[in-house]
Amino acid sequence: MEAWRLPLSSSIRGKLISAGYTSLPSISSVSSSDLARDVNITEEEAFEILRLAKQSSGSSSCNGSRSLINGAKNAWDMLHEEDSLPRITTSCSDLDSILGGGISCRDVTEIGGVPGIGKTQIGIQLSVNVQIPRECGGLGGKAIYIDTEGSFMVERALQIAEACVEDMEEYTGYMHKHFQANQVQMKPKDILDNIFYFRVCSYTEQIALVNHLDKFISENKDVKVVIVDSITFHFRQDFDDLVQRTRVLSEMALKFMKLAKKFSLAVVLLNQVTTKYTEGSFQLALALGDSWSHSCTNRVILYWNGDERYAYIDKSPSLPSASASYTVTSRGLRNSSSSSKRVKMM
Amino acid sequence: MSNKLIGEMGLHTKISNIFAARNIITAKDALSMTEFELMELLDVGMKEIRLAIALISEATSPPCQSARSLLEKKVENEHLLGHLPTHLKGLDETLCGGIPFGVLTELVGPPGIGKSQFCMKLALSASFPVAYGGLDGRVIYIDVESKFSSRRVIEMGVKSFPEVFHLKGMAQEMAGRILVLRPTSLANFTESIQELKDSILQNQVKLLVIDSMTALLSGENKPGAQRQPQLGWHISFLKSLAEFSRIPIVVTNQVRSQNRDETSQYSFQAKLKDGFQEHTKTYDSHLVAALGINWAHAVTIRLVLEAKSGQRIIKVAKSPMSPPLAFPFHITSAGISLLSDNGTELKGPGINTIHARGHSDMINFHGDCS
């Protein structure tokens, strides 16, 4: 590994290289005071360089650690983790089954579709469902709803929350014998209390908020889902330089992934649609470009098929491509009424 | 928020000066670059950049509210729970009270169907005192195609609310609250709405009507691709105007024919061999809403007015809180009225299609309609 790859300011890097320290082994073999004198920098700066060099080369022989590379996990341990991952139900069992049980935590999922297909509905449904208590098979967590377009209608959230409470009461009534007599029931307004709502009015605020989320979630550890509705809106119109936009978007995607992994929560990004000219004809595609489509781990596209709404798994590291139908009712997202086999596998 | 000055965020003076020296003065400047780029530009280590960005981000982030406090604020502050009644019972029920505050509502349909009539009626209702289901405020009516007729508005008022209108001086007062603007160009319009932003709250403006958005943009004669960025600014501005001042904004849109190479399919749909595949490109529905898909995403509520076999129908095509219902209506001297308060539910994408069949005989209601 070369020295110029280290994340250092350019003047320090310049000094290092002109003093002859072009590769990492050459840096690590020197003490910090020698380095400081040689390169003409302060001792603290030299110490920092040595620390970075050690980190990058991944040599842990000096701490006597057992792992080959710092920070790596073996696949067997990860399997156990993946299987025990909680998932957030979408209240539509067909949709849940193609998603492998629901929206997975620790992952970034992108959901896109034409206007009116139900993206905001799914967002609101997930922010309510994440709060289903563990006893009923949920996560008992809180939700962050980042609204960039003003599409969050609080009356609709209340409607969905009320329906969820009714469903839970039915369920606990059925399983009554398993519960203690003084079980506290969730009320719809309590559910609304646990949805942290942010209204973002420009892409600057959007980026600022994503940066700030780390601190916010550290102070509110029971947040288990972050929904951004929609990720596209401000980036589509206010950004003039498309190349810059791609860079900023990739950085934002990485930050979301870090958040998902660090706090074990689900990140759901809702995206809009645009038309693209490919293969000789115009087709629909999710907005923000080809580079963005690489950034998210999972991608679900919502579309119309005849008279029904369908969801299609467009991209996922572990789920097969499949589509399932769903409907939007006054109680929220539910299975579509036609009961014949709906889940089509590719 | 994005124009917040870095100098006032409480950053360490040294780093604050470094930012200023490189002309990064507002939060927007700093956050539009990636951390690596900033490091290169400012010649500062990664740790300091991260700290600085964390502080800048915290200062620029929007405040957090719980959804519950949102609801409580609505109940407390807004008249009629944040909706402007349309006085069409079925429609008001579906929309949970009427046209909602703080968002964009779009009326789209073929020419002569009744969009301007609907808008005029809404403008009238908004000017009414609260006791009669109005908002007791001023209305700004941006009339691009000169369709606003004061005579018609007063006629509607007299026929639908006779008890109010026969009171002395009422007609004058109500009509006096509706301010009509006739912008001559897009630039003119842009200037006017920018001025509006400050004066809305001071002057008790409770409704903004733009009739029609399409006419404003079509006057510019730019090729299709150019239209998007222009519209983008207006979309953001109108949305933030609506939210900031908590008023309803009603915009009318026209229709255009669907291009032959337009599609509503994704690339994977060709591969999925569902038995239900049907091409929605029938000859019936060759009309689509103008202004493009970006606009369609931006409006919160879309009401489609259309004519099918001589019957006019109003459909709730896009609404986060309502099922897709269609109501038959007709236009009388009192304005628009529904023929049935029980809407028929239309499943599927059909709710978005616009028909204009059997329509040409219906234009020229009252002679002074468009």
Side-chain angles (χ1 to χ4, degrees):
Chain A
M1 210 227 194
E2 310 301 333
W4 55 263
R5 282 182 190 261
L6 289 175
L8 295 168
S9 66
S10 30
S11 59
I12 294 190
R13 204 188 308 146
K15 285 186 188 167
L16 254 188
I17 295 183
S18 53
Y21 292 93
T22 47
S23 66
L24 287 183
S26 57
I27 301 179
S28 352
S29 58
V30 174
S31 77
S32 60
S33 41
D34 287 338
L35 189 62
R37 200 186 44 223
D38 243 353
V39 180
N40 200 8
I41 50 180
T42 67
E43 271 249 21
E44 292 109 3
E45 285 168 343
F47 191 72
E48 179 70 21
I49 295 175
L50 283 176
R51 190 184 66 82
L52 283 171
K54 200 177 291 178
Q55 229 175 38
S56 316
S57 63
S59 70
S60 40
S61 46
C62 24
N63 354 353
S65 151
R66 284 161 153 268
S67 60
L68 272 170
I69 306 179
N70 257 336
K73 273 192 237 177
N74 71 54
W76 184 255
D77 292 335
M78 283 178 72
L79 176 64
H80 175 72
E81 249 177 47
E82 268 178 37
D83 280 345
S84 59
L85 260 188
R87 282 166 185 273
I88 309 176
T89 173
T90 55
S91 288
C92 169
S93 57
D94 287 340
L95 192 50
D96 278 349
S97 57
I98 59 167
L99 287 170
I103 300 284
S104 60
C105 290
R106 302 193 108 226
D107 261 352
V108 176
T109 307
E110 181 187 2
I111 303 183
V114 291
I117 194 91
K119 303 185 291 296
T120 305
Q121 302 298 309
I122 291 193
I124 300 181
Q125 185 74 62
L126 288 172
S127 59
V128 167
N129 288 357
V130 73
Q131 300 180 43
I132 295 178
R134 291 217 174 81
E135 299 85 39
C136 298
L139 279 80
K142 298 195 178 160
I144 289 182
Y145 197 98
I146 300 178
D147 188 359
T148 62
E149 300 184 10
S151 22
F152 183 78
M153 299 256 115
V154 68
E155 300 95 336
R156 179 62 173 152
L158 186 62
Q159 249 185 349
I160 294 186
E162 284 166 350
C164 184
V165 164
E166 276 170 28
D167 287 345
M168 279 200 292
E169 278 170 0
E170 211 184 289
Y171 179 81
T172 59
Y174 184 67
M175 312 285 266
H176 189 66
K177 51 189 188 296
H178 294 286
F179 291 95
Q180 298 140 338
N182 53 353
Q183 179 79 16
V184 174
Q185 273 297 29
M186 276 198 114
K187 299 232 168 33
K189 294 247 169 95
D190 295 332
I191 294 188
L192 287 189
D193 232 352
N194 292 331
I195 301 180
F196 297 115
Y197 176 81
F198 290 89
R199 176 69 172 98
V200 162
C201 300
S202 67
Y203 74 79
T204 316
E205 282 185 22
Q206 196 170 331
I207 299 174
L209 183 56
V210 177
N211 291 339
H212 179 59
L213 274 182
D214 193 284
K215 183 161 177 226
F216 185 86
I217 300 182
S218 315
E219 294 163 3
N220 291 285
K221 282 235 151 74
D222 34 10
V223 168
K224 285 291 167 204
V225 70
V226 175
I227 298 162
V228 185
D229 180 8
S230 61
I231 194 96
T232 335
F233 184 65
H234 295 296
F235 283 91
R236 215 169 174 181
Q237 34 231 27
D238 301 335
F239 236 110
D240 302 314
D241 181 354
L242 286 182
V243 176
Q244 184 66 21
R245 184 181 89 166
T246 311
R247 280 202 283 265
V248 173
L249 279 174
S250 324
E251 202 184 44
M252 194 170 66
L254 281 174
K255 290 195 179 128
F256 274 125
M257 272 199 266
K258 236 169 82 173
L259 275 175
K261 298 268 184 260
K262 180 173 174 188
F263 297 106
S264 286
L265 46 82
V267 175
V268 177
L269 307 177
L270 301 177
N271 198 357
Q272 294 176 354
V273 147
T274 181
T275 43
K276 201 163 83 156
Y277 192 77
T278 49
E279 296 161 21
S281 65
F282 283 97
Q283 285 179 339
L284 287 178
L286 294 196
L288 293 180
D290 291 324
S291 318
W292 170 260
S293 55
H294 290 293
S295 311
C296 297
T297 320
N298 301 305
R299 188 175 239 215
V300 177
I301 298 187
L302 307 177
Y303 64 103
W304 285 107
N305 189 356
D307 270 354
E308 298 219 330
R309 293 167 209 252
Y310 270 71
Y312 173 72
I313 308 279
D314 188 46
K315 177 182 174 195
S316 162
S318 56
L319 299 165
S321 292
S323 58
S325 73
Y326 67 96
T327 52
V328 179
T329 67
S330 59
R331 298 167 69 81
L333 234 68
R334 295 289 185 269
N335 275 342
S336 65
S337 48
S338 27
S339 53
S340 59
K341 181 167 185 285
R342 280 265 158 250
V343 180
K344 308 269 182 192
M345 309 287 274
M346 291 277 281
Chain B
M1 276 284 196
S2 41
N3 290 326
K4 245 181 163 171
L5 297 172
I6 295 186
E8 296 170 7
M9 285 185 194
L11 282 173
H12 206 275
T13 332
K14 181 172 154 216
I15 195 135
S16 188
N17 290 338
I18 298 182
F19 271 105
R22 291 292 182 179
N23 223 11
I24 299 188
I25 318 240
T26 61
K28 182 173 178 174
D29 300 329
L31 295 171
S32 305
M33 300 174 71
T34 62
E35 285 170 1
F36 232 78
E37 287 168 345
L38 276 174
M39 201 178 69
E40 292 274 321
L41 183 65
L42 302 176
D43 200 9
V44 169
M46 186 53 106
K47 214 160 67 171
E48 284 117 320
I49 293 281
R50 289 232 167 102
L51 269 171
I53 293 284
L55 271 167
I56 297 177
S57 302
E58 188 166 356
T60 320
S61 285
C64 175
Q65 295 173 59
S66 75
R68 185 182 191 157
S69 63
L70 268 183
L71 185 64
E72 285 167 359
K73 261 193 231 170
K74 257 197 155 172
V75 171
E76 231 175 74
N77 293 341
E78 287 174 357
H79 280 159
L80 312 162
L81 275 183
H83 293 268
L84 166 63
T86 58
H87 297 287
L88 300 170
K89 185 153 162 272
L91 188 61
D92 280 345
E93 263 169 28
T94 313
L95 293 177
C96 301
I99 309 281
F101 290 8
V103 291
L104 288 183
T105 302
E106 180 195 23
L107 291 170
V108 59
I113 195 95
K115 306 185 292 294
S116 304
Q117 300 290 308
F118 196 97
C119 289
M120 287 194 270
K121 185 79 181 283
L122 277 179
L124 191 64
S125 329
S127 65
F128 273 12
V130 180
Y132 295 100
L135 300 176
D136 205 22
R138 292 208 171 83
V139 177
I140 307 242
Y141 197 107
I142 299 189
D143 181 22
V144 185
E145 297 171 309
S146 299
K147 293 208 179 128
F148 185 85
S149 155
S150 339
R151 193 161 46 93
R152 177 72 177 122
V153 170
I154 302 220
E155 181 192 14
M156 283 202 237
V158 166
K159 289 281 164 59
S160 25
F161 305 101
E163 67 285 357
V164 182
F165 263 68
H166 286 306
L167 290 174
K168 192 167 181 225
M170 248 335 188
Q172 186 183 6
E173 190 177 334
M174 296 300 118
R177 289 181 180 176
I178 304 178
L179 303 163
V180 181
L181 267 175
R182 293 207 161 121
T184 46
S185 68
L186 184 64
N188 202 321
F189 168 73
T190 310
E191 256 177 66
S192 313
I193 52 174
Q194 275 176 315
E195 270 174 38
L196 266 184
K197 190 160 190 174
D198 305 310
S199 61
I200 280 189
L201 288 171
Q202 290 168 343
N203 293 321
Q204 300 263 331
V205 174
K206 299 283 171 146
L207 169 66
L208 172 62
V209 178
I210 303 176
D211 180 14
S212 67
M213 195 72 191
T214 334
L216 271 174
L217 290 163
S218 64
E220 297 299 296
N221 272 335
K222 288 207 169 65
Q226 285 277 28
R227 182 183 288 184
Q228 292 288 34
Q230 272 185 331
L231 190 53
W233 182 85
H234 291 90
I235 292 181
S236 301
F237 187 82
L238 285 174
K239 280 179 91 109
S240 64
L241 183 63
E243 269 194 55
F244 173 70
S245 24
R246 299 307 304 172
I247 57 167
I249 296 190
V250 177
V251 182
T252 55
N253 190 7
Q254 293 165 0
V255 295
R256 59 173 175 85
S257 330
Q258 202 170 31
N259 290 332
R260 226 180 320 127
D261 39 356
E262 244 174 86
T263 178
S264 53
Q265 300 232 342
Y266 295 92
S267 51
F268 65 82
Q269 282 182 278
K271 301 177 210 153
L272 282 179
K273 286 179 186 62
D274 276 325
F276 302 86
Q277 287 289 51
E278 57 179 66
H279 281 289
T280 41
K281 282 190 270 181
T282 57
Y283 290 104
D284 254 2
S285 50
H286 62 281
L287 294 176
V288 289
L291 295 181
I293 199 160
N294 204 0
W295 171 261
H297 274 297
V299 297
T300 308
I301 307 237
R302 171 174 267 190
L303 298 171
V304 173
L305 287 80
E306 64 170 7
K308 228 172 165 172
S309 352
Q311 169 69 340
R312 295 185 206 232
I313 301 183
I314 180 168
K315 304 193 283 200
V316 181
K318 179 182 178 192
S319 163
M321 317 162 286
S322 338
L325 294 178
F327 301 90
F329 71 94
H330 65 165
I331 306 186
T332 63
S333 53
I336 287 198
S337 63
L338 296 182
L339 290 170
S340 157
D341 283 323
N342 296 320
T344 26
E345 186 157 343
L346 289 180
K347 289 198 195 295
I351 191 90
N352 280 308
T353 54
I354 307 176
H355 299 262
R357 278 169 137 214
H359 177 51
S360 40
D361 349 300
M362 293 190 299
I363 310 186
N364 290 326
F365 167 75
H366 230 229
D368 56 348
C369 216
S370 57

